[in-house]
């Protein structure tokens, strides 16, 4: 066990201590000037009873929120950085779009060329990723009455498949926006499907392209690994604040990020214990380096329900109708789990659900997302456990949970350098902070503080 040298944190080593987004051509399109609509997006829902002082406080809070949202909309578009250009270029390759549409078998290490360092580690799977494409298609046609005859913007259109689905659902016009050179191919695909009269491909950032009308619908496949990696949700927010009509539709409408403690002895053995005996040769001296290479950064891979030690809890619920970019800069959540078995505790797994629904779907549930139901013990908290979905017929839900059909997102694992043995019913508690990297806003800093069995630990990592 390594002791912290400064009385502070380590990068996952255990130590004892206190608990702790025209016609047939690519267009630069038409523009509504930022802030020119003079519309303030207020809170949904009505007031209620209460004293005059309570009403004044509520009114002040609403006005403050409106001012903050208006200030955010009036901010100039951020410049396109070298990191942004590299990000857009990565989506110019047809392979990544093939992967997202149908799924591929792969095992790759993404390299950050600008840093000449290893980046995100991704382990492949052997299933078709139909869940993603089918969910979007089903959701678009489920909301056909909202789309037919209306104007749609597809943020980060890629090959244009979602734009075409919207055109097939009767959209009057679809603006397909993508900053990557894949927009050139998207335009050819639109032409090949005789949809140039409906789908206008705009090659550029949502922050920069011009559209001269408001839109009724925004559709986007913005989710990254661990939901928020790559920070593309900010582009959806920009499109919403620039162009979406009041009462407009956003697909997906809501997203929820979950976390849970996991055990994964096989993964640990493959990456670390392997070095104990290599063709009869003792290579255990390389084990510390093997741990660092395998577990220093988050790993994207598929796990099963057998790997999950507890019911998951919610890290962040995102309402795409109201979320702000400021809100996403840093997210902190507290958690408390009880292990359902005696097992080595190897780290935390993260996955997400997205729901395709209209605005203001939660008032009757006191803000609790419909994908949650009350746990058997009756305790409902912000970290609500996910047992099964309530009323699944009411909304299309795309899930990346271990028990659901596999997707290219798989799950994101944050492993510890050393596992921690836990007993059945042993409490694991602490806090998680996810923040945008100052180096590159598309990177995500992960700071975990957790305690169990009277010992306190810290794991810090960067998803790059």
């Amino acid at each position: 066990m390594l002791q912290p040298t400064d009385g502070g944190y380590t990068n996952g080593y255990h130590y004892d201590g206190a608990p702790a987004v025209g016609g047939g051509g690519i267009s630069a399109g038409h523009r509504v000037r930022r802030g020119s609509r003079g519309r303030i997006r207020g809170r949904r829902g009505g007031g209620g009873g209460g004293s005059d002082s309570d009403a004044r406080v509520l009114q002040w809070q609403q006005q403050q929120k409106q001012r903050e949202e208006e200030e955010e909309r009036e901010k100039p578009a951020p410049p396109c950085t070298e990191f942004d250009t590299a990000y857009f270029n990565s989506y110019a390759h047809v392979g990544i779009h093939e992967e997202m549409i149908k799924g591929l078998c792969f095992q790759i290490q993404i390299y950050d060329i600008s840093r000449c360092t290893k980046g995100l580690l991704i382990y492949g799977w052997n299933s078709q990723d139909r869940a993603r494409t089918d969910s979007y298609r089903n959701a678009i046609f489920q909301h056909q009455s909202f789309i037919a005859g209306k104007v749609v913007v597809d943020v980060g259109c890629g090959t244009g498949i979602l734009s075409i689905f919207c055109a097939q659902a009767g959209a009057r016009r679809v603006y397909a926006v993508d900053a990557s050179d894949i927009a050139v191919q998207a335009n050819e695909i639109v032409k090949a499907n005789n949809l140039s009269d409906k789908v206008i491909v705009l090659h550029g950032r949502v922050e920069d392209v011009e559209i001269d009308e408001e839109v009724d619908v925004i559709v986007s496949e913005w989710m990254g690994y661990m939901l928020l990696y790559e920070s593309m949700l900010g582009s959806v927010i920009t499109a919403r604040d620039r162009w979406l009509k009041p009462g407009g539709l956003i697909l997906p409408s809501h997203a929820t990020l979950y976390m849970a403690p996991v055990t994964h002895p096989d993964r640990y053995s493959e990456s670390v214990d392997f070095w104990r005996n290599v063709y009869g040769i003792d290579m255990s001296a390389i084990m510390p380096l093997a741990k660092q290479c395998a577990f220093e950064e988050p790993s994207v891979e598929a796990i099963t329900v057998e790997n999950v030690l507890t019911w998951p809890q919610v890290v962040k619920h995102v309402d795409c109708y109201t979320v702000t970019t400021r809100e996403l800069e840093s997210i902190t959540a507290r958690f408390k789990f009880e292990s359902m078995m005696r097992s080595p505790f190897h780290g935390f797994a993260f996955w997400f659900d997205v729901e395709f629904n209209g605005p203001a779907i939660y008032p009757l549930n006191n803000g609790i997302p419909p994908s949650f139901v009350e746990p058997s013990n009756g305790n409902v908290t912000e970290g609500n456990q996910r047992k099964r979905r309530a009323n699944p017929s009411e909304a299309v839900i795309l899930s990346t949970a271990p028990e659901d059909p596999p997707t290219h997102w798989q799950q994101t694992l944050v492993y510890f350098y050393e596992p921690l043995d836990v007993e059945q019913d042993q409490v694991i508690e602490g806090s998680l902070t996810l923040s945008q990297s100052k180096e590159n806003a598309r990177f995500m800093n992960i700071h975990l503080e957790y305690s169990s069995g009277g010992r306190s630990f810290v794991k810090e990592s960067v998803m790059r």
Side-chain angles (χ1 to χ4, degrees), residues 104-348:
L104 292 172
C105 303
F106 65 95
Q107 181 170 349
I108 63 175
Q109 175 87 51
I110 294 178
Y111 282 80
D112 182 351
I113 299 175
S114 65
R115 294 168 49 89
C116 298
T117 59
K118 289 186 297 183
L120 196 59
L121 183 64
I122 304 178
Y123 284 82
W125 76 105
N126 295 312
S127 299
Q128 298 272 313
D129 184 4
R130 295 190 60 90
R132 165 198 177 269
T133 308
D134 285 351
S135 294
Y136 271 87
R137 187 177 186 276
N138 292 340
I140 286 167
F141 282 91
Q142 184 184 78
H143 292 85
Q144 188 168 8
S145 61
F146 294 90
I147 295 172
K150 301 299 178 63
V151 179
V152 179
V153 62
D154 179 359
V155 178
C157 67
T159 59
I161 187 170
L162 303 185
S163 297
I164 292 174
F165 287 160
C166 289
Q168 291 173 341
R172 175 168 57 88
R173 185 176 298 109
V174 182
Y175 293 100
V177 186
D178 205 299
S180 164
D181 287 345
I182 196 67
V184 177
Q185 279 69 45
N187 191 60
E188 294 303 313
I189 292 170
V190 168
K191 287 181 182 178
N193 287 274
N194 301 314
L195 290 170
S196 297
D197 59 329
K198 286 190 173 184
V199 181
I200 301 173
V201 179
L202 305 180
H203 188 185
R205 300 191 307 160
V206 162
E207 292 83 357
D208 302 325
V209 300
E210 300 179 350
I211 297 177
D212 65 0
E213 60 184 328
E214 293 183 327
V215 304
D216 304 279
V217 180
I218 293 174
V219 62
S220 179
E221 195 271 80
W222 55 264
M223 301 82 71
Y225 298 117
M226 204 169 166
L227 186 62
L228 299 175
Y229 174 64
E230 296 181 334
S231 298
M232 188 178 162
L233 179 54
S235 295
V236 176
I237 295 170
T238 297
R240 179 198 70 193
D241 292 344
R242 290 187 67 186
W243 302 313
L244 189 65
K245 293 179 180 178
L249 177 68
I250 303 178
L251 297 176
S253 56
H254 302 82
T256 307
L257 176 63
Y258 306 90
M259 70 180 293
V262 292
T263 183
H264 207 334
D266 292 343
R267 175 74 162 85
Y268 196 87
S269 178
E270 291 170 5
S271 300
V272 178
D273 291 338
F274 160 80
W275 296 102
R276 295 185 188 278
N277 186 331
V278 182
Y279 287 90
I281 302 172
D282 181 359
M283 293 191 176
S284 56
I286 207 171
M287 288 176 63
L289 179 60
K291 292 176 185 178
Q292 181 177 357
C293 292
F295 304 139
E296 180 177 12
E297 296 186 350
S299 174
V300 176
E301 59 191 80
I303 60 172
T304 69
V305 291
E306 285 76 19
N307 297 117
V308 182
L309 289 172
T310 73
W311 291 115
Q313 293 186 5
V314 175
V315 173
K316 176 67 176 176
H317 180 69
V318 175
D319 182 341
C320 294
Y321 294 102
T322 61
V323 67
T324 65
T325 54
R326 184 178 302 174
E327 182 182 339
L328 300 174
E329 291 175 356
S330 182
I331 296 166
T332 297
R334 294 202 58 81
F335 55 82
K336 184 175 182 179
F337 301 98
E338 289 186 11
S339 179
M340 295 188 291
M341 65 189 81
R342 181 181 184 182
S343 179
F345 169 29
H346 288 100
F348 289 94

